[in-house]
Amino acid sequence: AQSVAQPEDQVNVAEGNPLTVKCTYSVSGNPYLFWYVQYPNRGLQFLLKYITGDNLVKGSYGFEAEFNKSQTSFHLKKPSALVSDSALYFCAARFAGTALIFGKGTTLSVSS
Amino acid sequence: EAGVTQFPSHSVIEKGQTVTLRCDPISGHDNLYWYRRVMGKEIKFLLHFVKESKQDESGMPNNRFLAERTGGTYSTLKVQPAELEDSGVYFCASSQLWTGPYEQYFGPGTRLTVT
């Protein structure tokens, strides 16, 4: 079955350090891949997407994600974390249909 | 441009009662989706409207859930009668039609608690 996995429930990083939030997917074919962020009491906000082409995609708020087809991964990265980046991050994929398939989410906590 | 709005933001009801959630998509977005996140788990797809028609309702858990989209504008999701396992956050999302690998724009969600 098609699925998206976020292996870490929580990621802790100090402000100014690089961060990585992991995502892997299980599917046959070429999915579209997305990252969304949810701040407290807010809806999911789109960060970035991978469709085709360059494996490194850049998105909002200085985030980027690297697509790795051989490892079926789409990890979210940022070179220098901010306290304001603390939020819940969701990886999602869209396969043949139009519905998004989400991972369970990873809470990012950035300490000052 | 106004985003996707949902009402109410929170709802607490007793088991057996009825609740209706509302979603207003971004103006001009023909695609409307409902998703649900049960505490700590994945956000799961419920159904997809294209204008007023149900395109895909494969994620609807059972016949206690009824979704409508009047005139292809706002949508409602009714749960009747509610059960404890229906508790969670219900998200609505919308997107433009025929825009290729488009992102979906999400509302803030309705947190439903069934006691």
Side-chain angles (χ1 to χ4, degrees):
Chain A
Q2 297 162 339
S3 64
V4 173
Q6 293 179 244
E8 303 155 316
D9 289 336
Q10 177 142 353
V11 170
N12 299 308
V13 64
E15 187 174 32
N17 285 357
L19 70 88
T20 299
V21 183
K22 296 179 180 178
C23 172
T24 60
Y25 63 92
S26 174
V27 67
S28 58
N30 299 312
Y32 302 137
L33 298 165
F34 303 82
W35 275 100
Y36 285 84
V37 59
Q38 185 181 21
Y39 297 102
N41 302 315
R42 304 285 296 276
L44 278 73
Q45 295 180 32
F46 168 75
L47 274 180
L48 50 79
K49 65 182 175 185
Y50 173 81
I51 306 303
T52 186
D54 193 348
N55 290 341
L56 185 66
V57 293
K58 295 187 183 296
S60 306
Y61 312 121
F63 284 93
E64 57 191 27
E66 185 170 13
F67 172 68
N68 187 317
K69 186 171 184 177
S70 63
Q71 297 185 2
T72 61
S73 67
F74 189 55
H75 300 332
L76 181 70
K77 299 182 179 183
K78 188 172 182 180
S80 179
L82 299 173
V83 173
S84 57
D85 293 331
S86 298
L88 181 58
Y89 290 80
F90 290 97
C91 181
R94 186 160 71 82
F95 303 104
T98 58
L100 290 170
I101 299 174
F102 284 89
K104 64 180 180 174
T106 298
T107 298
L108 173 65
S109 178
V110 181
S111 57
S112 57
Chain B
E1 175 183 87
V4 177
T5 58
Q6 293 186 245
F7 182 83
S9 57
H10 294 85
S11 180
V12 180
I13 61 171
E14 293 182 352
K15 177 182 174 181
Q17 290 186 320
T18 297
V19 64
T20 300
L21 313 180
R22 172 169 170 147
C23 168
D24 286 80
I26 292 173
S27 177
H29 281 193
D30 287 328
N31 288 292
L32 187 149
Y33 308 82
W34 284 99
Y35 294 85
R36 175 175 73 173
R37 185 181 191 225
V38 173
M39 183 62 69
K41 304 222 172 153
E42 297 88 348
I43 299 172
K44 291 272 180 100
F45 166 76
L46 296 178
L47 87 158
H48 170 212
F49 284 98
V50 177
K51 298 184 179 179
E52 67 275 7
S53 300
K54 293 176 184 175
Q55 180 75 14
D56 180 358
E57 52 185 328
S58 61
M60 294 287 264
N62 52 61
N63 59 11
R64 295 186 293 102
F65 289 75
L66 175 65
E68 295 179 325
R69 189 176 183 193
T70 307
T73 55
Y74 70 91
S75 174
T76 58
L77 180 64
K78 179 188 288 187
V79 184
Q80 179 182 28
E83 298 289 345
L84 298 179
E85 63 265 25
D86 300 332
S87 295
V89 180
Y90 290 76
F91 291 102
C92 175
S94 71
S95 69
Q96 293 178 314
L97 188 62
W98 311 127
T99 313
Y102 46 82
E103 57 269 27
Q104 297 174 13
Y105 295 87
F106 282 77
T110 293
R111 182 175 297 278
L112 175 64
T113 302
V114 183
T115 63

